mmCIF file of all heavy atoms in Angstrom:
data_model
loop_
_atom_site.group_PDB
_atom_site.id
_atom_site.type_symbol
_atom_site.label_atom_id
_atom_site.label_comp_id
_atom_site.label_asym_id
_atom_site.label_seq_id
_atom_site.Cartn_x
_atom_site.Cartn_y
_atom_site.Cartn_z
ATOM 1 N N HIS G 251 124.155 76.437 96.273
ATOM 2 C CA HIS G 251 124.784 77.664 95.791
ATOM 3 C C HIS G 251 124.404 78.919 96.573
ATOM 4 O O HIS G 251 124.950 79.990 96.316
ATOM 5 C CB HIS G 251 124.416 77.867 94.322
ATOM 6 C CG HIS G 251 124.620 76.641 93.488
ATOM 7 N ND1 HIS G 251 125.862 76.108 93.245
ATOM 8 C CD2 HIS G 251 123.714 75.809 92.881
ATOM 9 C CE1 HIS G 251 125.740 75.024 92.499
ATOM 10 N NE2 HIS G 251 124.454 74.814 92.270
ATOM 11 N N VAL G 252 123.465 78.803 97.494
ATOM 12 C CA VAL G 252 122.990 79.979 98.225
ATOM 13 C C VAL G 252 123.185 79.784 99.723
ATOM 14 O O VAL G 252 123.367 78.672 100.202
ATOM 15 C CB VAL G 252 121.502 80.271 97.925
ATOM 16 C CG1 VAL G 252 121.295 80.489 96.430
ATOM 17 C CG2 VAL G 252 120.598 79.153 98.427
ATOM 18 N N ASP G 253 123.126 80.888 100.448
ATOM 19 C CA ASP G 253 123.197 80.843 101.908
ATOM 20 C C ASP G 253 121.815 80.771 102.537
ATOM 21 O O ASP G 253 121.658 80.240 103.636
ATOM 22 C CB ASP G 253 123.914 82.099 102.431
ATOM 23 C CG ASP G 253 125.279 82.286 101.828
ATOM 24 O OD1 ASP G 253 126.084 81.329 101.878
ATOM 25 O OD2 ASP G 253 125.558 83.379 101.287
ATOM 26 N N LEU G 254 120.841 81.312 101.830
ATOM 27 C CA LEU G 254 119.498 81.433 102.393
ATOM 28 C C LEU G 254 118.467 81.192 101.309
ATOM 29 O O LEU G 254 118.545 81.789 100.232
ATOM 30 C CB LEU G 254 119.324 82.833 103.004
ATOM 31 C CG LEU G 254 118.128 83.107 103.908
ATOM 32 C CD1 LEU G 254 118.441 84.260 104.851
ATOM 33 C CD2 LEU G 254 116.884 83.449 103.094
ATOM 34 N N LEU G 255 117.528 80.307 101.572
ATOM 35 C CA LEU G 255 116.377 80.100 100.704
ATOM 36 C C LEU G 255 115.161 80.742 101.353
ATOM 37 O O LEU G 255 114.848 80.452 102.507
ATOM 38 C CB LEU G 255 116.116 78.614 100.473
ATOM 39 C CG LEU G 255 117.062 77.896 99.509
ATOM 40 C CD1 LEU G 255 116.808 76.394 99.546
ATOM 41 C CD2 LEU G 255 116.928 78.433 98.083
ATOM 42 N N MET G 256 114.495 81.602 100.612
ATOM 43 C CA MET G 256 113.327 82.304 101.136
ATOM 44 C C MET G 256 112.080 81.810 100.421
ATOM 45 O O MET G 256 111.998 81.884 99.189
ATOM 46 C CB MET G 256 113.480 83.815 100.938
ATOM 47 C CG MET G 256 112.365 84.642 101.533
ATOM 48 S SD MET G 256 112.578 86.412 101.183
ATOM 49 C CE MET G 256 114.128 86.735 102.015
ATOM 50 N N VAL G 257 111.140 81.282 101.181
ATOM 51 C CA VAL G 257 109.851 80.907 100.619
ATOM 52 C C VAL G 257 108.960 82.134 100.757
ATOM 53 O O VAL G 257 108.340 82.370 101.793
ATOM 54 C CB VAL G 257 109.250 79.685 101.335
ATOM 55 C CG1 VAL G 257 107.967 79.233 100.638
ATOM 56 C CG2 VAL G 257 110.259 78.537 101.373
ATOM 57 N N GLY G 258 108.957 82.946 99.724
ATOM 58 C CA GLY G 258 108.269 84.218 99.784
ATOM 59 C C GLY G 258 106.812 84.111 99.396
ATOM 60 O O GLY G 258 106.417 83.235 98.608
ATOM 61 N N ASP G 259 105.997 85.029 99.925
ATOM 62 C CA ASP G 259 104.599 85.051 99.501
ATOM 63 C C ASP G 259 104.472 85.560 98.065
ATOM 64 O O ASP G 259 103.378 85.576 97.505
ATOM 65 C CB ASP G 259 103.729 85.850 100.469
ATOM 66 C CG ASP G 259 104.175 87.296 100.634
ATOM 67 O OD1 ASP G 259 105.162 87.705 100.005
ATOM 68 O OD2 ASP G 259 103.530 88.016 101.426
ATOM 69 N N SER G 260 105.593 85.917 97.454
ATOM 70 C CA SER G 260 105.626 86.205 96.020
ATOM 71 C C SER G 260 105.135 85.012 95.212
ATOM 72 O O SER G 260 104.773 85.158 94.033
ATOM 73 C CB SER G 260 107.051 86.568 95.588
ATOM 74 O OG SER G 260 107.994 85.615 96.081
ATOM 75 N N LEU G 261 105.083 83.832 95.816
ATOM 76 C CA LEU G 261 104.557 82.649 95.128
ATOM 77 C C LEU G 261 103.125 82.885 94.660
ATOM 78 O O LEU G 261 102.677 82.277 93.679
ATOM 79 C CB LEU G 261 104.643 81.410 96.011
ATOM 80 C CG LEU G 261 103.861 81.347 97.332
ATOM 81 C CD1 LEU G 261 102.424 80.899 97.141
ATOM 82 C CD2 LEU G 261 104.555 80.417 98.316
ATOM 83 N N GLY G 262 102.408 83.754 95.349
ATOM 84 C CA GLY G 262 101.044 84.050 94.928
ATOM 85 C C GLY G 262 100.985 84.618 93.520
ATOM 86 O O GLY G 262 100.062 84.324 92.758
ATOM 87 N N MET G 263 101.987 85.415 93.173
ATOM 88 C CA MET G 263 102.021 86.034 91.851
ATOM 89 C C MET G 263 102.716 85.140 90.829
ATOM 90 O O MET G 263 102.209 84.935 89.729
ATOM 91 C CB MET G 263 102.715 87.396 91.944
ATOM 92 C CG MET G 263 102.024 88.361 92.899
ATOM 93 S SD MET G 263 102.903 89.908 93.148
ATOM 94 C CE MET G 263 102.541 90.759 91.613
ATOM 95 N N VAL G 264 103.875 84.563 91.192
ATOM 96 C CA VAL G 264 104.662 83.845 90.195
ATOM 97 C C VAL G 264 104.186 82.413 89.966
ATOM 98 O O VAL G 264 104.419 81.848 88.892
ATOM 99 C CB VAL G 264 106.167 83.868 90.536
ATOM 100 C CG1 VAL G 264 106.673 85.297 90.612
ATOM 101 C CG2 VAL G 264 106.461 83.145 91.841
ATOM 102 N N LEU G 265 103.526 81.814 90.951
ATOM 103 C CA LEU G 265 103.018 80.447 90.793
ATOM 104 C C LEU G 265 101.506 80.387 90.590
ATOM 105 O O LEU G 265 101.016 79.561 89.822
ATOM 106 C CB LEU G 265 103.379 79.596 92.016
ATOM 107 C CG LEU G 265 104.855 79.276 92.247
ATOM 108 C CD1 LEU G 265 104.981 78.281 93.390
ATOM 109 C CD2 LEU G 265 105.523 78.716 90.999
ATOM 110 N N TYR G 266 100.762 81.235 91.308
ATOM 111 C CA TYR G 266 99.312 81.129 91.308
ATOM 112 C C TYR G 266 98.619 82.161 90.422
ATOM 113 O O TYR G 266 97.405 82.078 90.222
ATOM 114 C CB TYR G 266 98.784 81.247 92.737
ATOM 115 C CG TYR G 266 99.078 80.031 93.581
ATOM 116 C CD1 TYR G 266 100.260 79.929 94.306
ATOM 117 C CD2 TYR G 266 98.179 78.967 93.651
ATOM 118 C CE1 TYR G 266 100.542 78.810 95.077
ATOM 119 C CE2 TYR G 266 98.453 77.848 94.412
ATOM 120 C CZ TYR G 266 99.635 77.774 95.125
ATOM 121 O OH TYR G 266 99.922 76.656 95.883
ATOM 122 N N GLY G 267 99.354 83.126 89.922
ATOM 123 C CA GLY G 267 98.767 84.087 89.005
ATOM 124 C C GLY G 267 97.935 85.177 89.649
ATOM 125 O O GLY G 267 97.162 85.858 88.964
ATOM 126 N N PHE G 268 98.069 85.375 90.960
ATOM 127 C CA PHE G 268 97.363 86.474 91.613
ATOM 128 C C PHE G 268 97.972 87.809 91.187
ATOM 129 O O PHE G 268 99.141 87.880 90.790
ATOM 130 C CB PHE G 268 97.446 86.354 93.135
ATOM 131 C CG PHE G 268 96.799 85.114 93.707
ATOM 132 C CD1 PHE G 268 97.388 84.447 94.775
ATOM 133 C CD2 PHE G 268 95.606 84.629 93.202
ATOM 134 C CE1 PHE G 268 96.809 83.314 95.318
ATOM 135 C CE2 PHE G 268 95.006 83.498 93.733
ATOM 136 C CZ PHE G 268 95.611 82.835 94.802
ATOM 137 N N ASP G 269 97.203 88.878 91.333
ATOM 138 C CA ASP G 269 97.690 90.211 90.999
ATOM 139 C C ASP G 269 98.582 90.802 92.086
ATOM 140 O O ASP G 269 99.284 91.783 91.857
ATOM 141 C CB ASP G 269 96.508 91.162 90.752
ATOM 142 C CG ASP G 269 95.738 90.810 89.490
ATOM 143 O OD1 ASP G 269 96.356 90.227 88.567
ATOM 144 O OD2 ASP G 269 94.538 91.117 89.423
ATOM 145 N N SER G 270 98.533 90.222 93.278
ATOM 146 C CA SER G 270 99.346 90.693 94.399
ATOM 147 C C SER G 270 99.606 89.508 95.320
ATOM 148 O O SER G 270 99.144 88.394 95.066
ATOM 149 C CB SER G 270 98.622 91.810 95.168
ATOM 150 O OG SER G 270 97.527 91.280 95.917
ATOM 151 N N THR G 271 100.295 89.767 96.414
ATOM 152 C CA THR G 271 100.549 88.711 97.395
ATOM 153 C C THR G 271 99.412 88.565 98.402
ATOM 154 O O THR G 271 99.427 87.636 99.217
ATOM 155 C CB THR G 271 101.848 89.008 98.169
ATOM 156 O OG1 THR G 271 101.691 90.219 98.922
ATOM 157 C CG2 THR G 271 103.036 89.144 97.232
ATOM 158 N N LEU G 272 98.429 89.436 98.350
ATOM 159 C CA LEU G 272 97.421 89.495 99.406
ATOM 160 C C LEU G 272 96.554 88.238 99.532
ATOM 161 O O LEU G 272 96.152 87.888 100.651
ATOM 162 C CB LEU G 272 96.526 90.724 99.207
ATOM 163 C CG LEU G 272 97.256 92.076 99.210
ATOM 164 C CD1 LEU G 272 96.259 93.222 99.070
ATOM 165 C CD2 LEU G 272 98.085 92.242 100.469
ATOM 166 N N PRO G 273 96.236 87.513 98.454
ATOM 167 C CA PRO G 273 95.387 86.320 98.630
ATOM 168 C C PRO G 273 96.113 85.105 99.198
ATOM 169 O O PRO G 273 95.462 84.083 99.475
ATOM 170 C CB PRO G 273 94.916 86.026 97.197
ATOM 171 C CG PRO G 273 95.166 87.262 96.409
ATOM 172 C CD PRO G 273 96.377 87.866 97.032
ATOM 173 N N VAL G 274 97.412 85.161 99.369
ATOM 174 C CA VAL G 274 98.167 84.002 99.839
ATOM 175 C C VAL G 274 97.758 83.655 101.270
ATOM 176 O O VAL G 274 97.612 84.536 102.126
ATOM 177 C CB VAL G 274 99.682 84.273 99.771
ATOM 178 C CG1 VAL G 274 100.475 83.124 100.389
ATOM 179 C CG2 VAL G 274 100.107 84.490 98.321
ATOM 180 N N THR G 275 97.597 82.366 101.546
ATOM 181 C CA THR G 275 97.151 81.910 102.855
ATOM 182 C C THR G 275 98.296 81.260 103.630
ATOM 183 O O THR G 275 99.322 80.868 103.058
ATOM 184 C CB THR G 275 96.015 80.887 102.728
ATOM 185 O OG1 THR G 275 96.538 79.695 102.116
ATOM 186 C CG2 THR G 275 94.874 81.440 101.887
ATOM 187 N N LEU G 276 98.072 81.107 104.916
ATOM 188 C CA LEU G 276 99.062 80.437 105.762
ATOM 189 C C LEU G 276 99.239 78.980 105.326
ATOM 190 O O LEU G 276 100.368 78.469 105.308
ATOM 191 C CB LEU G 276 98.632 80.511 107.225
ATOM 192 C CG LEU G 276 99.625 79.956 108.258
ATOM 193 C CD1 LEU G 276 100.958 80.693 108.210
ATOM 194 C CD2 LEU G 276 99.019 80.030 109.661
ATOM 195 N N ASP G 277 98.153 78.314 104.969
ATOM 196 C CA ASP G 277 98.258 76.923 104.525
ATOM 197 C C ASP G 277 99.103 76.809 103.260
ATOM 198 O O ASP G 277 99.865 75.840 103.089
ATOM 199 C CB ASP G 277 96.868 76.330 104.277
ATOM 200 C CG ASP G 277 96.130 76.005 105.568
ATOM 201 O OD1 ASP G 277 96.798 75.883 106.616
ATOM 202 O OD2 ASP G 277 94.894 75.879 105.528
ATOM 203 N N MET G 278 98.982 77.776 102.353
ATOM 204 C CA MET G 278 99.813 77.773 101.155
ATOM 205 C C MET G 278 101.286 77.913 101.506
ATOM 206 O O MET G 278 102.151 77.195 100.970
ATOM 207 C CB MET G 278 99.383 78.895 100.206
ATOM 208 C CG MET G 278 98.027 78.673 99.561
ATOM 209 S SD MET G 278 97.345 80.179 98.804
ATOM 210 C CE MET G 278 98.518 80.461 97.493
ATOM 211 N N MET G 279 101.581 78.831 102.419
ATOM 212 C CA MET G 279 102.976 79.026 102.815
ATOM 213 C C MET G 279 103.542 77.789 103.497
ATOM 214 O O MET G 279 104.711 77.427 103.296
ATOM 215 C CB MET G 279 103.094 80.238 103.743
ATOM 216 C CG MET G 279 102.723 81.570 103.105
ATOM 217 S SD MET G 279 103.588 81.919 101.556
ATOM 218 C CE MET G 279 105.289 81.787 102.057
ATOM 219 N N ILE G 280 102.729 77.128 104.290
ATOM 220 C CA ILE G 280 103.186 75.907 104.959
ATOM 221 C C ILE G 280 103.463 74.809 103.933
ATOM 222 O O ILE G 280 104.497 74.120 104.005
ATOM 223 C CB ILE G 280 102.144 75.445 105.997
ATOM 224 C CG1 ILE G 280 102.140 76.417 107.192
ATOM 225 C CG2 ILE G 280 102.417 74.018 106.454
ATOM 226 C CD1 ILE G 280 101.004 76.188 108.169
ATOM 227 N N ALA G 281 102.577 74.641 102.964
ATOM 228 C CA ALA G 281 102.768 73.590 101.960
ATOM 229 C C ALA G 281 104.049 73.821 101.166
ATOM 230 O O ALA G 281 104.849 72.890 100.960
ATOM 231 C CB ALA G 281 101.564 73.533 101.020
#
Side-chain angles (χ1 to χ4, degrees):
H251 311 294
V252 302
D253 304 308
L254 193 155
L255 285 171
M256 184 183 298
V257 185
D259 58 0
S260 49
L261 63 84
M263 301 174 76
V264 301
L265 293 187
Y266 288 89
F268 298 142
D269 292 333
S270 72
T271 64
L272 301 183
V274 174
T275 67
L276 185 60
D277 285 340
M278 291 165 66
M279 296 307 304
I280 289 171

